[in-house]
Amino acid sequence: MRKARTIRTDNYILSLSDYIERIEFLDISGTKSNFLFRGQSVKGNLLPSIARNNPKLDTTELEKSQLTHLRLVGSRYLEENNSNDVDLLVLAQHFGLKTRLLDWSSNPLVALWFACNTTDDGDAYVYALDSDAFLDKEIYSKDPFSIGKTSVLQPRLNNERIIAQHGWFTLHRYAQKNSRFVALEKNKDIKKFITEFTISSKSKQDILVSLDRYGINSRTLFPDLEGLCKYLNWRDKFA
């Protein structure tokens, strides 16, 4: 088994090239680990949306009820492969329902874009997760509300955004022992496999321009009319 990592705090990023250089050093063991990446405007708090306001609240019954209601009222929008609870959670997450899924990407540049594409003035953050030890290949045959531990989920490539964003998820559990959802950076089994990168607040816009040169922007990550319109609004600021 690979040696566990600790969260590093010395990864301060000033440019796209700086970021790429440091990402390249993640897997220095040469084992070709499967790293996942998440970009966000806040430090830590790696919790799914259903748990961010109150991690101590057990939302399990609420979430089950929401999926039942979604099947009843939204049946015309659902396909047969959404009958599985895991697939339905992924679909619901995609359309904005608060779930116990947390978004990740296998593409580090996608995560960097999400970190920098914010109106906040402060620093941004990218988290890299060495995910191999936490990937559950049997997750589609399980009840997502009764899993024994927080796991990595590779979604089926059945919608355009997941494909464009190289989307993956962590599926979080409500820990009865702790009476709460535990943030990944505080999870004793997972935190050792997380690396933190801090993106300088002064560099975010320059990084977005650099990413655009390599085809990472709202038009490509959200391959629909909404994504294109957001891209045109952003591009015109630099015209």
Side-chain angles (χ1 to χ4, degrees):
M1 186 174 179
R2 296 184 307 278
K3 184 179 179 181
R5 305 169 190 272
T6 56
I7 293 183
R8 296 177 54 185
T9 58
D10 59 339
N11 290 318
Y12 198 68
I13 305 301
L14 298 172
S15 66
L16 176 58
S17 60
D18 187 18
Y19 177 74
I20 292 174
E21 180 180 4
R22 301 197 187 206
I23 290 295
E24 289 296 303
F25 279 98
L26 275 175
D27 192 17
I28 58 176
S29 66
T31 57
K32 297 183 179 179
S33 299
N34 182 33
F35 279 92
L36 301 179
F37 303 88
R38 174 174 172 80
Q40 55 187 49
S41 60
V42 298
K43 181 180 178 68
N45 201 34
L46 294 173
L47 285 167
S49 55
I50 196 71
R52 284 182 202 144
N53 288 340
N54 183 5
K56 295 182 179 180
L57 180 64
D58 185 352
T59 58
T60 301
E61 294 307 315
L62 169 64
E63 294 174 78
K64 289 181 178 180
S65 174
Q66 286 180 325
L67 290 193
T68 298
H69 197 66
L70 185 58
R71 285 190 173 95
L72 289 173
V73 180
S75 59
R76 62 175 173 164
Y77 304 114
L78 305 179
E79 300 177 359
E80 282 190 21
N81 60 2
N82 296 134
S83 61
N84 182 291
D85 276 354
V86 176
D87 281 312
L88 191 55
L89 277 176
V90 171
L91 181 68
Q93 172 86 354
H94 168 68
F95 283 102
L97 186 70
K98 291 184 178 181
T99 75
R100 59 181 57 204
L101 297 178
L102 183 64
D103 295 276
W104 295 79
S105 175
S106 60
N107 187 330
L109 299 186
V110 171
L112 182 62
W113 184 87
F114 277 103
C116 294
N117 186 52
T118 174
T119 57
D120 294 348
D121 294 330
D123 292 341
Y125 302 87
V126 172
Y127 291 91
L129 170 63
D130 187 351
S131 67
D132 285 348
F134 311 105
L135 175 61
D136 189 342
K137 296 181 179 180
E138 306 298 327
I139 193 64
Y140 286 96
S141 63
K142 297 180 180 179
D143 176 0
F145 300 107
S146 60
I147 57 174
K149 62 180 181 179
T150 294
S151 304
V152 169
L153 158 65
Q154 182 177 14
R156 307 184 207 270
L157 299 180
N158 55 12
N159 76 63
E160 292 299 320
R161 288 191 180 183
I162 284 181
I163 296 171
Q165 297 172 16
H166 303 261
W168 286 61
F169 300 95
T170 42
L171 173 60
H172 295 240
R173 75 183 185 103
Y174 183 84
Q176 297 292 342
K177 181 179 178 180
N178 299 312
S179 299
R180 67 187 301 125
F181 285 94
V182 180
L184 294 183
E185 75 275 12
K186 297 179 180 178
N187 184 307
K188 63 182 179 61
D189 296 320
I190 297 178
K191 66 181 181 180
K192 297 174 288 188
F193 294 89
I194 296 176
T195 303
E196 178 186 84
F197 298 90
T198 303
I199 315 301
S200 168
S201 60
K202 297 179 180 179
S203 304
K204 289 191 295 186
Q205 288 304 315
D206 289 340
I207 289 174
L208 287 175
V209 173
S210 296
L211 286 171
D212 183 44
R213 295 194 189 101
Y214 292 94
I216 306 294
N217 52 52
S218 61
R219 180 176 64 86
T220 57
L221 297 181
F222 300 91
D224 50 33
L225 188 58
E226 179 185 1
L228 173 58
C229 290
K230 287 182 177 179
Y231 174 71
L232 293 175
N233 285 336
W234 175 83
R235 188 192 64 174
D236 286 346
K237 291 192 299 185
F238 301 95

